[in-house]
Every structure is written in structure tokens, then in C-alpha cells.
Amino acid sequence: KINYIIPAAGQASRLNGIPKFLLPVSKKNYLLKFHIELIKKTFLEKNVQIVIGTNNINSEILKNLYPDLNILEFESNSMVETVIKSQKDFREEESVYGCIMPDTYFSDHEIYSKMYKKIQYLDAVVAVWRIGEEQVGKLGQCDIDNSDMLTNVIDKNPECKLPFFWGSLMWKKSFNKFLELEDQHFGDTLNRALEKGIKIGVVYAEGDYFDCGTFEEYKKLLNKEIS
């Protein structure tokens, strides 16, 4: 069973309150729709459940757009807190969990399949992209060993020289014990698990990755996809 969490509880303060997940990427598509359709397409023959954790501002919008999905409304101060609270209605059986931010877009549409193949023999897997110069200090950069295993995450450090950042996470139920409400970033969770000896695999994504939390990054996406 696959439980996918989409954290959408942020206030979008950098975009003056505009719901980032509704930003269009083409005439017929927008960010959240892209992720939901990709998850469903990837796991077409699997038992997949999608949960969106959101706030009271966006819950009605999401419930109207996706009446077939589980939309949970609550207050949250971080992505990790949203993920923890979004799990309350999940099945108790052994499952694979996935998480993706709805204000992102990437061109590698096979990345979830790559992650799912690798998670079969690990507790967690991250997908990584090669970082662009303008992205340094804005994302969680990854230290990776020669066997493609994660060894450390450095979050939002403009001095960091590591060439890759992580942009998607998949894990098994055994990894949930490392999630703590106090974590401001998933890098805190990942590093805690690594310190306890958990093996976290890495899969390499191809193509571009856009974090559309700012108008500048969103404009880069539009120029790339629509021009």
C-alpha cells in the first residue's frame, strides 16, 4: 500500500497569499494537478491513497477541486508537522509513504518509479537533482557516498558546495519514529535517522526542478515549459 502526502498548509507569504499549488504550468495544467496525476499514473496498479494536509484558507478550494481525495484541515508551522498530522487517517498496515511539495515542478516523470524500486530494500529514499547556482542556499543539499547512499543534509546554507539537493522523499513505516514536530526542515529528520544508523538511498533525477515559492522561480518555470 502506498500513502502519498501532499503538504499544502503554508500561508504562501512570499506570493502574497496566492495558493502556490494552483499556479498554472500550461493552459490545461497547474502544479497540484501535475503531482496528483503523476502519482496516480505511476502507481496505477497499486493501492494508493493521497492525503492533502492544508489550512482553513485553502481547504474549501481543495475539497471542491478533489472531492475524491482525503483533505485534512489543521494548523501547521512546518512541512514536517503537516506530514505528521496528515498520517492520522492512514491505514495501519505496513505501507510505503511518499511526500512531495505541491509548489514544485520537475521534468523527470519517472522519478517516483525509480524511488519505489529502491525503497523495496531500504527504510527511506530521497530523489536528488543537480543544483543550479541560483538555487544554492535555498534547498536541502545532500552529501552522498560512492554507493549512492545519503550521509548528510545541509539545509539552506549559501556557503554549501555540495552539488545535489533533495526534492522528494519516500519511506517505510519504520522511518516514522524519526519525525518530530520540532523539526523545521526534513533535513533535521533525515540527519537524525542517519545518526541512528538508518540507511537512506539516493536516486538521481534527470532534467529540471523548480521550487515555485517565489515569483522569480515561477517565471523560470513558465519560460521553460511554455515558451
Side-chain angles (χ1 to χ4, degrees):
K1 294 180 177 64
I2 301 166
N3 298 318
Y4 241 94
I5 301 168
I6 302 179
Q11 300 298 321
S13 57
R14 290 181 295 172
L15 290 183
N16 296 322
I18 297 173
K20 293 179 285 185
F21 54 80
L22 293 181
L23 293 174
V25 295
S26 68
K27 291 182 179 179
K28 296 183 178 181
N29 207 358
Y30 52 91
L31 291 174
L32 180 60
K33 182 181 178 184
F34 161 73
H35 287 295
I36 291 174
E37 291 184 348
L38 183 58
I39 292 167
K40 289 182 175 181
K41 180 181 177 181
T42 301
F43 302 110
L44 184 63
E45 298 179 359
K46 306 290 184 183
N47 188 355
V48 61
Q49 178 182 356
I50 299 175
V51 170
I52 303 178
T54 190
N55 53 43
N56 61 345
I57 298 173
N58 296 323
S59 61
E60 286 303 313
I61 297 174
L62 290 166
K63 288 175 182 177
N64 285 320
L65 282 173
Y66 297 101
D68 58 322
L69 296 185
N70 195 355
I71 312 298
L72 301 181
E73 178 185 329
F74 46 72
E75 293 184 3
S76 176
N77 295 310
S78 71
M79 177 179 170
V80 177
E81 183 176 356
T82 302
V83 168
I84 292 172
K85 290 183 176 180
S86 296
Q87 293 191 46
K88 73 181 185 68
D89 288 342
F90 277 155
R91 308 175 184 95
E92 292 299 321
E93 304 98 309
E94 192 64 34
S95 303
V96 170
Y97 298 82
C99 177
I100 188 66
M101 293 298 292
D103 59 350
T104 63
Y105 182 87
F106 44 81
S107 53
D108 189 345
H109 296 180
E110 302 299 320
I111 192 61
Y112 295 152
S113 295
K114 298 175 190 176
M115 297 174 74
Y116 187 69
K117 289 177 182 177
K118 196 158 189 174
I119 195 66
Q120 302 306 313
Y121 54 92
L122 291 167
D123 289 292
V125 172
V126 292
V128 301
W129 282 257
R130 185 168 290 278
I131 198 162
E133 183 178 350
E134 71 285 352
Q135 294 173 313
V136 174
K138 300 176 182 179
L139 301 163
Q141 290 169 251
C142 300
D143 201 353
I144 304 165
D145 68 16
N146 293 331
S147 58
D148 293 336
M149 301 296 291
L150 186 70
T151 60
N152 188 32
V153 176
I154 299 177
D155 266 309
K156 300 183 179 181
N157 183 344
E159 304 300 321
C160 183
K161 305 298 183 183
L162 297 173
F164 292 96
F165 67 91
W166 77 273
S168 183
L169 175 65
M170 192 174 287
W171 69 96
K172 290 180 180 173
K173 190 174 181 180
S174 55
F175 185 79
N176 280 330
K177 61 186 177 184
F178 299 105
L179 295 166
E180 295 185 4
L181 290 173
E182 293 77 17
D183 293 346
Q184 291 301 306
H185 306 286
F186 249 108
D188 299 332
T189 310
L190 291 166
N191 285 334
R192 182 181 304 109
L194 290 169
E195 290 171 1
K196 297 295 184 180
I198 296 298
K199 303 295 184 183
I200 302 175
V202 169
V203 295
Y204 295 91
E206 300 176 2
D208 299 306
Y209 177 101
F210 299 90
D211 178 2
C212 300
T214 65
F215 282 115
E216 290 74 17
E217 188 75 2
Y218 177 57
K219 285 189 289 185
K220 291 177 185 177
L221 167 61
L222 294 182
N223 291 334
K224 186 75 174 182
E225 293 298 315
I226 298 177
S227 61

